[in-house]
């Protein structure tokens, strides 16, 4: 016997009982983005692997361990399933010269792929909503992005998401800090794990991002980038804080916030929660002024800033906080018996749908009793019953399913009015 085929580990089906939550989230995101003037962009899921190596950085968890890269069997190209969206978005913006039309406020959403150890809140196919503001140099846009997030938590009814902000300064300040950090870490070589030792000279800042509990003490005591900050970056960071305070957004400064990707500079931020166990990072982002030049060359240089949120984690938070999530139910389930009644039933659902109602037509055989059971379990507000008598009288019978109100035999227009009254 052949074994049945199952989904790939860490790649999940979203069944209808959960999909309503996704739809509610997606609808909220669309309205939220529109209200801030951000436009949707859609990129392919597969890109040249080199795009991510160049942008995210060769010495990062994502590129070293997590990226699904493969050779195109037809032409030998090295391809990858996108592990994140920023690089693709920037590639698309440059490829289509969108910045010639001025700065761009953009967002995208969709699946991302990382070969991680699957656990609650950490999957191999997961989903992100990503927001990128390209061509804006000032702290005002950094603040806008953060304020937007705070606004989304409100719209979704998720409490308890904490904001941490930090700054990575300019490239020069980082270089200075980098050598101070290497010096410090070399003095504590015995306390570094294998990963950290390997990265000591190639990417020491990433060591600060280590999740290894054994290394937290040595990370805590490390010198802080904040103390080596250049004047411009310091002013940028202070302006951001003033704007956040003015908008009533609470934050903590986290001087160890370095983010797992190489391309950030100046502002970095993370929204975290204690309600989801170890997978507490809900949304993360920052400024990446060097990335456009890195991907597109000198002529492409432009400032940029963005964030990405993990949809599965946000949804888990929504469920956890127990808020009321609107669940669309059908307005009517139409049951019928006999050929003439069936024709009227088709006409009835058409009439109702044209008026914006959700109407389910009973399909398949079954007597009235069996059909009414289906109507009940569909969660519809009303059953509409069409038998020989109704056909003869050119009427339908409307039976409320969620209240004790009596059944009524009325014309189709009156039935529409009745449904419209709620
Ligand atoms: P983490 O520290 O949890 O690995 P990250 O720093 O790798 O997160 P980013 O690359 O910044 O994550 O992605 C932004 C957001 O995407 C994260 O804050 C998280 O909510 C979500 N995310 C990242 N990886 C996964 C995953 N494997 N499964 C589910 N969500 C994820
Ligand atoms: Mg990660």
């Amino acid at each position: 016997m052949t074994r049945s085929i199952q989904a790939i580990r860490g790649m999940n089906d979203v069944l209808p009982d959960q999909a309503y939550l996704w739809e509610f989230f997606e609808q909220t995101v669309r309205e939220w983005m529109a209200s801030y003037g951000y436009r949707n962009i859609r990129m392919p899921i597969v890109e040249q692997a080199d795009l991510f190596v160049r942008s995210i950085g060769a010495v990062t968890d994502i590129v070293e361990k997590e990226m699904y890269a493969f050779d195109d069997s037809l032409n030998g190209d090295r391809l990858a399933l996108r592990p994140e969206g920023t690089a693709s978005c920037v590639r698309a913006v440059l490829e289509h010269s969108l910045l010639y039309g001025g700065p761009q406020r953009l967002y995208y959403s969709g699946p991302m792929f990382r070969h991680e150890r699957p656990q609650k809140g950490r999957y191999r196919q997961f989903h992100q909503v990503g927001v990128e503001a390209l061509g804006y140099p000032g702290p005002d846009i950094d603040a806008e992005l953060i304020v937007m997030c705070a606004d989304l938590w409100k719209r979704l009814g998720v409490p308890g998401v904490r904001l941490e902000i930090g700054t990575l300064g300019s490239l020069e300040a980082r270089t200075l800090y980098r050598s101070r950090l290497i010096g410090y870490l070399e003095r504590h070589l015995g306390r570094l794990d294998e990963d950290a030792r390997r990265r000591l000279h190639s990417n020491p800042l990433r060591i600060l991002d280590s999740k290894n509990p054994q290394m937290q003490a040595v990370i805590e005591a490390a010198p802080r980038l904040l103390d080596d900050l250049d004047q411009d970056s310091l002013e940028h960071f202070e302006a951001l804080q003033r704007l956040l305070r003015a908008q009533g957004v609470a934050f903590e400064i986290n001087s160890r916030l370095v983010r797992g990707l190489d391309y950030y500079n100046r502002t970095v931020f993370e929204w975290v929660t204690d309600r989801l166990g170890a997978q507490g990072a809900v949304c993360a982002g920052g400024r990446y002024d060097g990335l456009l030049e890195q991907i597109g060359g000198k002529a492409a240089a432009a400032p940029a800033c963005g964030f990405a949120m993990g949809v599965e984690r946000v949804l888990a938070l929504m469920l956890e906080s127990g808020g009321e999530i609107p669940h669309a139910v059908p307005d009517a389930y139409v049951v019928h018996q006999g050929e003439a009644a069936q024709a009227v039933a088709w006409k009835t659902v058409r009439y109702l749908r044209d008026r914006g109602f959700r109407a389910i037509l009973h399909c398949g055989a079954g007597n009235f009793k069996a059909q009414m059971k289906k109507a009940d379990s569909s969660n519809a507000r009303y059953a509409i019953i069409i038998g020989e008598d109704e056909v003869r009288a050119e009427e339908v019978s409307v039976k409320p399913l969620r209240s004790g109100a009596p059944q009524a035999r009325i014309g189709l227009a009156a039935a529409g009015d009745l449904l419209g009254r709620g």
Side-chain angles (χ1 to χ4, degrees), residues 157-346:
V158 289
V161 202
R162 219 153 24 80
L163 172 63
E164 296 186 354
I165 62 172
T167 177
L168 299 177
S170 66
L171 186 61
E172 298 75 51
R174 255 217 274 187
T175 312
L176 199 74
Y177 172 70
R178 193 175 179 278
S179 48
R180 273 225 300 154
L181 184 62
I182 292 178
Y184 165 82
L185 292 170
E186 275 175 337
R187 288 196 297 281
H188 296 92
L189 212 55
R191 297 163 70 188
L192 303 188
D193 63 13
E194 197 193 325
D195 253 7
R197 280 186 210 189
R198 199 166 38 80
R199 286 177 177 168
L200 183 53
H201 292 276
S202 55
N203 199 348
L205 263 71
R206 288 300 323 283
I207 296 173
L208 301 178
D209 200 31
S210 164
K211 305 241 160 45
N212 184 349
Q214 261 103 58
M215 292 210 356
Q216 294 315 306
V218 74
I219 290 173
E220 272 308 305
R224 302 176 337 143
L225 205 161
L226 267 177
D227 302 329
D228 277 337
L229 218 52
D230 55 293
Q231 192 57 30
D232 285 352
S233 295
L234 192 63
E235 278 166 22
H236 188 105
F237 192 45
E238 282 171 352
L240 169 66
Q241 294 175 49
R242 279 196 300 277
L243 286 163
L244 292 178
R245 279 195 208 98
Q247 295 307 310
V249 176
F251 59 85
E252 291 157 45
I253 294 177
N254 178 348
S255 58
R256 322 249 166 243
L257 202 60
V258 293
R259 310 286 310 109
L261 304 84
D262 266 1
Y263 50 59
Y264 289 105
N265 68 308
R266 290 203 172 163
T267 308
V268 285
F269 61 90
E270 230 172 75
W271 291 91
V272 289
T273 177
D274 302 326
R275 298 174 174 221
L276 296 178
Q279 269 52 255
V282 175
C283 174
R287 182 160 280 283
Y288 49 94
D289 293 331
L291 183 62
L292 275 84
E293 182 173 344
Q294 215 171 303
I295 292 180
K298 259 215 148 28
C305 191
F307 65 79
M309 74 180 66
V311 177
E312 283 82 356
R313 294 185 193 178
V314 175
L315 296 186
L317 209 48
M318 284 165 68
L319 284 177
E320 204 266 349
S321 53
E324 190 68 34
I325 290 140
H327 202 152
V329 296
D331 296 302
Y333 189 102
V334 179
V335 307
H336 51 91
Q337 194 100 77
E339 216 166 299
Q342 192 187 50
V344 175
W346 278 96

